[in-house]
């Protein structure tokens, strides 16, 4: 049995299929994002929105087509679970396993990272940790744990992870502290402002008005960062 394809969508409604195809194509158009990055963002959106039917199966198929494998997909779900929420990621993990079984796809090999659950400290920036600890020590401990147990992940790049968490922010409209941190992570991983903008714009097929709001916030963040760099260059 084959995975769903665009032909399947056309069978449901050819006009809708055309509308969706041109919309996704335009939102992901351009050279700023790689095909791999675009499909990772689509899968992240599926988790956040709990779109685990045909769209999710189409995105799993597209992920395999661009070279992602079952281990990569599981690392993505493990990584975003702290932002998407563990229940949402678990539902997507269960559905992924079903898709693999139903369609005879290669399953995971078990390659993973070591979970440092009993350690101490955190790779989070010290200023962020201090800010959260002043707000609520219990939440700070939880955030430390979440960052620490992901420290060994390597199948999904830092840039890809930053774009994925930005996608969660756009869809959940958490456009304050976490969005600022995730945009900073993407820029710190070498992404350009245009590439960061493209990652936000890629969320438009999942809800254009949320993308619109996020781009307004992003503009302000980028302008603030540019002004700060200009001031630092002037001092230097």
């Amino acid at each position: 049995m084959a995975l769903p394809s665009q032909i399947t969508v056309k069978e449901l409604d050819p006009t809708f299929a055309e509308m969706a195809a041109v919309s996704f194509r335009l939102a992901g158009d351009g050279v700023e994002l790689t095909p791999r990055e675009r499909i990772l963002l689509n899968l992240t959106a599926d988790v956040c929105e709990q779109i685990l039917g045909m769209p999710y199966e189409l995105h799993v198929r597209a992920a395999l087509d661009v070279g992602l494998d079952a281990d990569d997909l599981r690392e993505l779900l493990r990584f975003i679970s702290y932002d998407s929420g563990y229940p949402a990621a678990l539902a997507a993990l269960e559905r992924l396993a079903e898709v693999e079984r139903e369609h005879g796809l290669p399953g995971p090999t078990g390659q993973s990272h070591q979970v440092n659950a009993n350690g101490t400290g955190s790779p989070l920036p010290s200023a962020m940790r201090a800010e959260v600890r002043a707000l609520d020590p219990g939440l700070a401990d939880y955030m430390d744990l979440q960052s620490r147990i992901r420290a060994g992940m390597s199948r999904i790049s830092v840039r890809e992870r930053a774009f994925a968490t930005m996608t969660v922010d756009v869809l959940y409209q958490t456009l304050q502290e976490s969005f600022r941190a995730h945009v900073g992570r993407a820029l710190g991983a070498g992404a350009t402002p245009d590439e960061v903008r493209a990652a936000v714009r890629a969320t438009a097929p999942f809800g254009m008005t949320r993308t619109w709001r996020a781009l307004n916030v992003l503009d302000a963040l980028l302008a603030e960062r540019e002004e700060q760099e200009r001031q630092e260059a002037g001092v230097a």
Side-chain angles (χ1 to χ4, degrees), residues 167-203:
T167 298
V168 179
D169 287 327
V170 175
L171 296 178
Y172 285 176
Q173 290 289 280
T174 48
L175 300 175
Q176 293 78 38
E177 300 85 355
S178 60
F179 188 57
R180 175 186 291 272
H182 297 151
V183 168
R185 182 185 299 163
L187 295 169
T192 67
D194 283 345
E195 290 167 340
V196 171
R197 186 181 301 280
V200 172
R201 190 170 59 246
T203 65

Side-chain angles (χ1 to χ4, degrees), residues 87-122:
L90 177 57
L93 178 61
E94 179 184 35
R95 182 63 186 136
L96 175 60
E98 289 177 355
V99 170
E100 290 167 345
R101 288 195 303 270
E102 290 170 3
H103 303 293
L105 301 176
T109 65
Q111 296 182 36
S112 185
H113 74 290
Q114 185 173 5
V115 177
N116 181 18
N118 298 317
T120 58
S122 165

Side-chain angles (χ1 to χ4, degrees), residues 1-25:
M1 182 178 179
L3 278 169
S5 67
Q6 293 300 331
I7 295 175
T8 312
V9 182
K10 288 179 181 178
E11 290 173 348
L12 290 173
D13 186 279
T15 304
F16 179 89
E18 181 180 2
M19 291 167 60
V22 297
S23 297
F24 271 95
R25 186 161 58 245

Side-chain angles (χ1 to χ4, degrees), residues 29-49:
D29 198 18
V31 299
E32 295 92 351
L33 303 179
T34 68
R36 173 181 160 114
E37 287 169 344
R38 284 195 290 271
I39 195 59
L40 287 172
L41 300 191
N42 286 343
L43 286 164
T44 299
D46 289 337
V47 176
C48 293
E49 302 289 85

Side-chain angles (χ1 to χ4, degrees), residues 58-197:
L58 285 168
H59 293 151
V60 168
R61 174 182 182 143
L64 299 178
D65 288 344
V66 298
L68 288 156
D69 62 26
D71 294 314
D72 297 330
L73 297 182
R74 279 161 175 77
E75 178 160 297
L76 173 70
L77 297 179
R78 288 193 295 266
F79 175 72
I80 65 172
S81 60
Y82 76 109
D83 273 343
S84 71
Y86 276 90
L90 177 57
L93 178 61
E94 179 184 35
R95 182 63 186 136
L96 175 60
E98 289 177 355
V99 170
E100 290 167 345
R101 288 195 303 270
E102 290 170 3
H103 303 293
L105 301 176
T109 65
Q111 296 182 36
S112 185
H113 74 290
Q114 185 173 5
V115 177
N116 181 18
N118 298 317
T120 58
S122 165
L124 287 173
S126 57
M128 180 189 296
R129 293 181 68 202
E131 180 181 342
V132 176
R133 188 158 294 281
L135 176 67
D136 186 271
L139 178 61
D141 289 342
Y142 184 81
M143 287 181 65
D144 281 351
L145 173 67
Q146 296 309 303
S147 59
R148 190 169 63 246
I149 62 179
R150 287 165 172 76
M153 292 184 175
S154 60
R155 303 184 71 88
I156 307 298
S157 73
V158 174
R159 169 181 158 126
E160 291 168 340
R161 281 179 263 167
F163 286 166
T165 50
M166 285 168 51
T167 298
V168 179
D169 287 327
V170 175
L171 296 178
Y172 285 176
Q173 290 289 280
T174 48
L175 300 175
Q176 293 78 38
E177 300 85 355
S178 60
F179 188 57
R180 175 186 291 272
H182 297 151
V183 168
R185 182 185 299 163
L187 295 169
T192 67
D194 283 345
E195 290 167 340
V196 171
R197 186 181 301 280

